[in-house]
Amino acid sequence: MKVIALNGSPRLIGNTSNILHEVSDELEKEGIETEHIQLYSSRFTLCNDCRSCEIRGDGRCILEDDDLNDIVDMMRGADGLILASPCYYGSCSAQMKIFLERAGMILEKGDKGLRRKVGGAIVVNAHEGGSMVYSQLVHWMLRNQMIVCGGMPAPVVAALNSPQYQNDKEGMKGVISLAKEMAWAISKLNGL
């Protein structure tokens, strides 16, 4: 069993990255492997709405010279997906947004490759807007017909500079709760 964790933060060692490592630890306790993908280390071309993915219907973007298709293929092969992003001006990070636009289009117009996979969203915000980003990420997963897990409380963590995420005990309680819910759902879907 495997989960792909997409990190939308530009910081290689920041709050979002550290939180994803804690989620990985929790999932590994349940026998679930986690692979982290740092979106800022990847190269993405902007979607130009050419609709070639709709014409082709093969679940791939015609722009084959960047990292998008490879990452989407990795997501298709996993049991679960975590979308994690900081909140920038009330939205997810630009790199995450570019990825979601293109990946969403090819999945919707192609093979619906995330259908019935388990998903979860994690957001880090300094002051405000976290619930907006959380809704944005959850909506993307629902539109891709994923089984979306939540945390109690919501996995929205208040932090600016790392390791301030550790100070938000309630936010981290929500993150750990999300990891446990995802592990449960993945295990059930795999007949365990």
Side-chain angles (χ1 to χ4, degrees), residues 63-85:
L63 302 172
E64 295 277 358
D65 59 346
D66 68 10
D67 299 324
L68 182 94
N69 286 320
D70 292 337
I71 294 173
V72 173
D73 286 343
M74 292 168 65
M75 291 164 40
R76 283 186 182 102
D79 299 287
L81 173 67
I82 296 172
L83 300 176
S85 179

Side-chain angles (χ1 to χ4, degrees), residues 44-107:
F44 302 118
T45 305
L46 298 173
C47 181
N48 63 8
D49 196 31
C50 69
R51 298 293 172 138
S52 294
C53 56
E54 187 171 13
I55 295 164
R56 291 165 45 148
D58 63 357
R60 294 188 67 79
C61 181
I62 197 167
L63 302 172
E64 295 277 358
D65 59 346
D66 68 10
D67 299 324
L68 182 94
N69 286 320
D70 292 337
I71 294 173
V72 173
D73 286 343
M74 292 168 65
M75 291 164 40
R76 283 186 182 102
D79 299 287
L81 173 67
I82 296 172
L83 300 176
S85 179
C87 175
Y88 291 156
Y89 288 93
S91 184
C92 64
S93 68
Q95 195 77 350
M96 177 67 83
K97 180 73 169 103
I98 292 167
F99 178 81
L100 294 178
E101 283 179 5
R102 284 190 51 213
M105 184 70 82
I106 65 173
L107 288 161

Side-chain angles (χ1 to χ4, degrees), residues 153-173:
V156 177
V157 180
L160 179 58
N161 295 310
S162 192
Q164 288 178 344
Y165 74 96
Q166 296 171 335
N167 298 336
D168 185 356
K169 302 296 184 203
E170 285 298 299
M172 287 307 296
K173 180 179 173 185

